[in-house]
Amino acid sequence: MSFSAVRAAFAVLAVLAFGGEVRAQARHGSPPGEFDFYVLALSWSPAFCEAQGDRMSRSIQCGGDRQFSFVVHGLWPQFTRGFPEYCQVPAPELDRRVVNGMLDIMPAPGLIRAQWNKHGTCAGARSPAAYFETVRQARAKIRIPTEYENVQAALTVTPDEVEDAFVRANPGLTREMISVQCDDRRLREVRVCIGRDMNFTACQEIDRRTCRRERLMVTPVRPGRI
């Protein structure tokens, strides 16, 4: 077999292996309630709004005089390896009162519905309201470090500095229980692993996916606009 043929064969095997790994991560249609722990994803709202630009300028989250900092992206049931998703299709419809009751910490109705469809249906909650009450309990578990409560000017930080700030602010949280997410230059999200008992838990798979960039910008909270 020629060198080019060998190389092509290895390329095919690599694609198949990679594809298998990706498919193994998400387990579509798993039985509701079968998971090991939660990931609470906290999105840095100013970076999200900056990345979206004018498309989101009239939204609850990014428009007007709203000045959100960390908001809840979602509470995701996880396996030790991989995660369940879309465990009930079609998902039970969300009552408008449930959606409206979450807007203080998840300021986007579309996000709330999408998170319920993809992740909430996997939690095994007795109702959508019960799942979102768990979301609220998980959010209440986390104390946001004071340096990220009201950022008025851009900060330059390292991923380690973000993790350390959260560890200092939250007794019982360690670096093995948290992950920082970024884009090419900005802090985008902090993910915290929480057990089904609502205590922090180690999560190797989540932790090793933390941002590896040397420096990140923390986008300031946007000033109010009329």
Side-chain angles (χ1 to χ4, degrees):
M1 183 181 292
S2 67
F3 174 76
S4 59
V6 171
R7 184 172 61 181
F10 273 109
V12 170
L13 289 173
V15 169
L16 290 174
F18 179 75
E21 181 180 343
V22 171
R23 285 193 295 271
Q25 295 300 315
R27 304 185 197 177
H28 192 94
S30 295
E34 291 189 8
F35 64 96
D36 298 316
F37 62 94
Y38 294 106
V39 168
L40 177 67
L42 298 172
S43 172
W44 182 247
S45 185
F48 169 80
C49 293
E50 182 179 81
Q52 295 298 311
D54 290 340
R55 192 170 71 86
M56 295 289 291
S57 63
R58 296 183 180 277
S59 68
I60 295 174
Q61 181 173 348
C62 301
D65 60 354
R66 277 82 178 188
Q67 298 190 35
F68 294 102
S69 51
F70 278 110
V71 299
V72 174
H73 178 178
L75 183 69
W76 307 334
Q78 300 280 304
F79 301 119
T80 302
R81 297 194 65 182
F83 57 91
E85 65 177 17
Y86 298 109
C87 297
Q88 197 171 350
V89 179
E93 187 173 350
L94 286 181
D95 188 280
R96 181 179 298 178
R97 290 171 296 181
V98 173
V99 174
N100 291 342
M102 294 301 296
L103 291 175
D104 59 323
I105 61 173
M106 297 180 74
L111 169 66
I112 294 168
R113 294 188 177 94
Q115 291 296 304
W116 164 247
N117 292 343
K118 185 174 183 179
H119 301 289
T121 55
C122 298
R126 63 184 181 275
S127 67
Y131 167 71
F132 284 105
E133 178 57 31
T134 303
V135 175
R136 191 169 289 281
Q137 290 175 10
R139 174 60 186 86
K141 176 80 177 176
I142 302 297
R143 178 176 297 174
I144 303 300
T146 56
E147 54 264 50
Y148 299 107
E149 287 181 345
N150 189 24
V151 177
Q152 294 299 310
L155 303 176
T156 300
V157 299
T158 67
D160 283 350
E161 287 171 342
V162 177
E163 288 194 6
D164 287 341
F166 272 82
V167 168
R168 288 194 301 270
N170 292 275
L173 185 66
T174 69
R175 293 279 298 275
E176 293 74 29
M177 304 170 176
I178 188 172
S179 174
V180 171
Q181 304 298 306
C182 62
D183 58 21
D184 60 341
R185 62 188 179 89
R186 293 172 294 211
L187 170 69
R188 295 302 298 265
E189 197 159 273
V190 171
R191 297 176 181 175
V192 181
C193 298
I194 300 175
R196 298 180 66 136
D197 60 359
M198 287 290 113
N199 290 317
F200 299 127
T201 189
C203 47
Q204 184 179 16
E205 186 177 63
I206 306 302
D207 177 57
R208 70 169 178 252
R209 293 179 183 173
T210 200
C211 175
R212 302 300 179 190
R213 295 197 175 276
E214 291 186 3
R215 308 294 292 178
L216 299 175
M217 183 181 74
V218 181
T219 310
V221 174
R222 300 193 315 170
R225 299 190 301 174
I226 302 299

